[in-house]
Amino acid sequence: MLKVNEQVNTITKTARIDIVERRKRAARWSVVSNSALIVSKLAVGLSIGSISVISEAIHSSVDLIAAIIALIAVRIAARPADKSHPFGHGKIENLSGAIESLLIFAGAGVIIMEAVDKFGAAPVIEQPLLGAAIMGASALVNFLVSKYLKKVAKETDSIALLADAAHLHADVITCVGVLVGLSLVWITGWNWLDPVVALLVAMLIIKAGWEILLHSISGLVDSSLPDEENRVISQRIEHYKEWYVNYHMLRTRQSGPDRHIDFHLVVPDEMTALEAHRLCNWLEEDIHNSVNSITVQIHIEPQSICTESEGIYLCSSSK
C-alpha cells in the first residue's frame, strides 16, 4: 500500500511540474509577441501619423505589462503550500487578473485622451494602407497567441493566463477595428475617422477589462466552484451512499488553479474508525480523479449525535 501511495505521489508531482512548465512557456510566448508588436505598431503609427495605430501600440504596451504580471503570477502560484500559506499560493493568479484589468482601464484612458485631443484637428494620415497592413498582421499574431494561451489556461486551470488571453483577444478585435477605420480613411479621405476609431477601440478595451475584473474578484472572495463541478462532486459522494447515512455542509472554493472542498459525513455508529478512514480515502480518490487540482477535507460524525429535520441533519458534540 505504501509503494502504491508513493507511486501516486510521484505521478501527481510529475504531472504538476508539467502543468507549471506549460503555464510558464505560454506566458513567455505572450511576453515575446507583445514586445514585437509594440515596436512594430509604434514605428508605423508615428511614421504615418495615425492616432488609432499609436493607440494600438499603447494597448499592446498594456498587454505586455499584463503578460509580465501573468508570468510572475504563474511562477509564484506554482510554489507549494508552506507554513505562511497552508492553502498554497494560487490566489496570486486572481490578484494578477485584477491588476491586469486595472491596467486595461489605464490604457483605455490614455487612448481616450489622445483621441479627444486629436478629434478637433485630425492629422492627415500618410500611407493608411501601411497602417492597415500592420493591424492585419497584429490581429493574426494575437489571434494565434490568444488561442494558444486560452487552450493552456483551460487545460491547466490558470486564471492569469485566461486573463492574458482575454487581453489579446480584445486586441484582435481592436486591431480589426483600426484596420477597417484606416481602410475607410484611405477610401474616403476623411481623417477624422481615425480618432473616432480610437475611441471605439478604447470602449472595447474597457469592456474586456471589466469582464476580467469580475472574473478575478470572484476568486478573491472565495466564490463557490462552477455548478458543473459542484454537480460532479455531489455525484461522486452519492456514489458511496450505501456506506454512509448522510452528508451535509458541502463547501467548495477555488484558489487560482487549486480547488478546495470540505463536507461533513454522517456514518453509522457501528462503523469503526478504520472503516470510516477507508471510506474517506475512497471518496477523496474518486473526487480527485473527477476534478482537477482539488483538496478534500471530510469531517466524520456518528449518526447518534445527529438529528434530522426535513432532510437536514444537525449534529452536536454535546450528545
Side-chain angles (χ1 to χ4, degrees):
M1 183 66 179
L2 181 59
K3 290 184 178 179
V4 172
N5 288 336
E6 288 177 351
Q7 291 175 353
V8 171
N9 290 335
T10 300
I11 294 172
T12 301
K13 185 177 180 180
T14 302
R16 183 174 181 84
I17 291 174
D18 179 63
I19 287 173
V20 171
E21 288 304 315
R22 290 186 64 195
R23 290 173 185 160
K24 291 179 181 178
R25 192 183 308 120
R28 286 194 291 266
W29 268 108
S30 181
V31 171
V32 171
S33 65
N34 277 301
S35 299
L37 290 177
I38 290 171
V39 175
S40 302
K41 290 178 182 178
L42 192 59
V44 172
L46 291 174
S47 66
I48 69 176
S50 170
I51 183 60
S52 60
V53 176
I54 294 174
S55 72
E56 267 302 302
I58 295 172
H59 187 190
S60 290
S61 298
V62 174
D63 288 342
L64 175 59
I65 297 173
I68 293 172
I69 291 174
L71 178 58
I72 295 172
V74 165
R75 289 178 178 273
I76 296 176
R79 295 175 182 172
D82 53 35
K83 186 176 181 180
S84 300
H85 303 85
F87 292 99
H89 301 78
K91 281 195 177 182
I92 190 67
E93 291 207 21
N94 297 90
L95 182 60
S96 74
I99 294 173
E100 287 178 41
S101 65
L102 297 179
L103 288 173
I104 288 179
F105 296 146
V110 173
I111 293 173
I112 290 172
M113 288 190 293
E114 288 293 324
V116 170
D117 183 57
K118 300 292 184 182
F119 196 85
V124 176
I125 300 176
E126 301 176 1
Q127 298 180 310
L129 287 184
L130 177 58
I134 191 63
M135 288 299 100
S138 179
L140 178 60
V141 170
N142 280 329
F143 172 76
L144 295 175
V145 176
S146 67
K147 188 175 181 180
Y148 169 59
L149 287 177
K150 189 173 183 179
K151 179 177 182 292
V152 176
K154 287 188 174 181
E155 291 176 352
T156 64
D157 293 316
S158 174
I159 295 175
L161 289 182
L162 192 62
D164 201 12
H167 271 275
L168 296 184
H169 182 69
D171 207 24
V172 171
I173 297 173
T174 55
C175 282
V176 172
V178 173
L179 187 156
V180 172
L182 290 173
S183 299
L184 290 175
V185 170
W186 176 68
I187 294 171
T188 64
W190 296 343
N191 291 297
W192 56 266
L193 284 173
D194 189 52
V196 170
V197 170
L199 286 174
L200 293 175
V201 166
M203 295 301 104
L204 290 172
I205 292 173
I206 290 173
K207 179 178 180 294
W210 179 249
E211 291 173 350
I212 294 170
L213 181 62
L214 292 180
H215 184 67
S216 300
I217 289 178
S218 67
L220 289 173
V221 295
D222 282 341
S223 296
S224 175
L225 294 179
D227 291 339
E228 177 60 23
E229 292 186 6
N230 282 325
R231 184 183 65 80
V232 170
I233 291 169
S234 295
Q235 284 181 344
R236 299 329 304 156
I237 297 174
E238 291 167 8
H239 180 70
Y240 298 89
K241 61 184 178 182
E242 63 180 290
W243 299 96
Y244 62 81
V245 178
N246 169 268
Y247 77 94
H248 55 277
M249 293 185 67
L250 174 62
R251 300 185 301 177
T252 67
R253 68 183 181 89
Q254 186 162 356
S255 176
D258 299 320
R259 296 162 173 78
H260 300 270
I261 77 165
D262 62 82
F263 61 94
H264 290 205
L265 191 69
V266 180
V267 299
D269 290 340
E270 61 271 16
M271 180 176 282
T272 66
L274 178 60
E275 290 171 335
H277 173 70
R278 286 174 177 168
L279 175 58
C280 289
N281 280 347
W282 293 341
L283 284 164
E284 290 173 11
E285 183 179 0
D286 204 345
I287 295 172
H288 273 293
N289 292 334
S290 302
V291 182
N292 293 330
S293 302
I294 193 164
T295 299
V296 183
Q297 291 186 339
I298 305 173
H299 176 69
I300 293 293
E301 294 172 325
Q303 184 178 8
S304 59
I305 70 167
C306 302
T307 57
E308 181 183 7
S309 176
E310 298 181 358
I312 300 175
Y313 271 76
L314 300 176
C315 302
S316 172
S317 59
S318 60
K319 286 190 176 184

